[in-house]
Amino acid sequence: MHEDLLLLDNIRLNFSQASLHIMNITIGFIMFGVALEIKWDQFRDVLRNPRKVIVGLFAQYLVLPAVTFLAVWLLGSYITPAVAFGMILVASCPGGNVSNFISSVAKANVALSVSLTAAATILALIFTPLNFAFWGKLYSTTSPLLRPIVIDPVDMFRTVIILLGIPVAAGILFSQKLPRITEKIKKPIKTLSLLIFAAFVIMAFRNNYGYFIMYAKWIIIIVLIHNGMALLSGYFTASAFGLNQIDRRTISIETGIQNSGLGLVLLFNPKIFPPELNMGGMAFIAAWWGIWHILAGLGLATFWSWGRPLRKTEVVSS
């Protein structure tokens, strides 16, 4: 496995800035559809009980990076430094915006999910570079891939507003002002959102099909293990703090759905990671995370929604 991954480190993925822009537009549309089912009262409930948000952020920015470092340490010589740093980088990113859509499919606490995504994205200004530096140094102090990450606060704030704030506010206002139309369009929009995102994933997969076929067997195993650990970390952290079942599911999804798009943006920033670095393993981990966590998240959400529906006793406030 190690020899194959060493070859992978020399590869540059076909993933352009234009692709990232398309992904962001898609996420904005998804968020509008999700927000059609949110009421302002739900956010008030979250603000009255900030403990849930704090537990979610704890799972996101403390438990997941620590668990990731443990995974990297256990895998040892089976992976390359580039793959290890890719795992650490993904674990250092905030939750992905598509987690809100997946939470709605799972019939989880969507208001909590949106609040966690917003808070985690803003805190990424501090915790993404801090976690990458801290856990990266524990892994290796000499690797050229250990780069200082600087996130522009204005750009990050603009991203939060465009991808999260505007679509969510527009969706909630639309549902309040036009409730009858909302009832007619919210299900078709949810279906359309899923189809559009699936189309984006398929296009990204097609552009890198050759590389995927060559190295899929190892990357799939690594990301599957890592993502599974992330989902379990969120669920058991919420359980340890005594949160109810609906919030456990929400925090599990938030922790298991990472903003790997941010990881790719950082990786393709030549000021942070110069092109001459052999970081194909990092890019491939982040890119495949972006595909796999959606498949895994939707699969888990469907199981929870249909195979294991919540009972009234499992949604009692905790």
Side-chain angles (χ1 to χ4, degrees), residues 118-184:
T121 303
I122 293 169
L123 288 174
L125 293 168
I126 299 170
F127 283 105
T128 293
L130 181 64
N131 272 323
F132 185 73
F134 178 77
W135 297 105
K137 285 180 180 177
L138 280 184
Y139 173 73
S140 173
T141 58
T142 59
S143 174
L145 295 173
L146 183 59
R147 314 292 296 183
I149 295 176
V150 179
I151 300 175
D152 183 353
V154 175
D155 184 63
M156 179 64 75
F157 183 74
R158 183 169 62 244
T159 300
V160 173
I161 294 298
I162 293 173
L163 295 186
L164 203 62
I166 294 175
V168 168
I172 294 174
L173 288 172
F174 189 94
S175 65
Q176 286 186 332
K177 300 295 183 182
L178 302 168
R180 292 183 180 179
I181 296 176
T182 299
E183 283 301 315
K184 293 179 180 179

Side-chain angles (χ1 to χ4, degrees), residues 53-103:
V53 176
I54 294 170
V55 171
L57 293 173
F58 177 78
Q60 179 77 57
Y61 280 128
L62 292 174
V63 177
L64 178 56
V67 166
T68 298
F69 176 77
L70 176 63
V72 165
W73 180 74
L74 289 174
L75 288 170
S77 61
Y78 291 104
I79 60 175
T80 64
V83 170
F85 277 111
M87 294 171 66
I88 293 171
L89 178 61
V90 168
S92 301
C93 289
N97 294 326
V98 75
S99 64
N100 311 137
F101 172 68
I102 292 175
S103 288

Side-chain angles (χ1 to χ4, degrees), residues 298-318:
L298 287 174
L300 183 60
T302 302
F303 170 74
W304 274 339
S305 178
W306 297 100
R308 179 62 174 82
L310 290 164
R311 298 187 296 271
K312 289 183 179 180
T313 55
E314 294 177 313
V315 297
V316 176
S317 297
S318 52

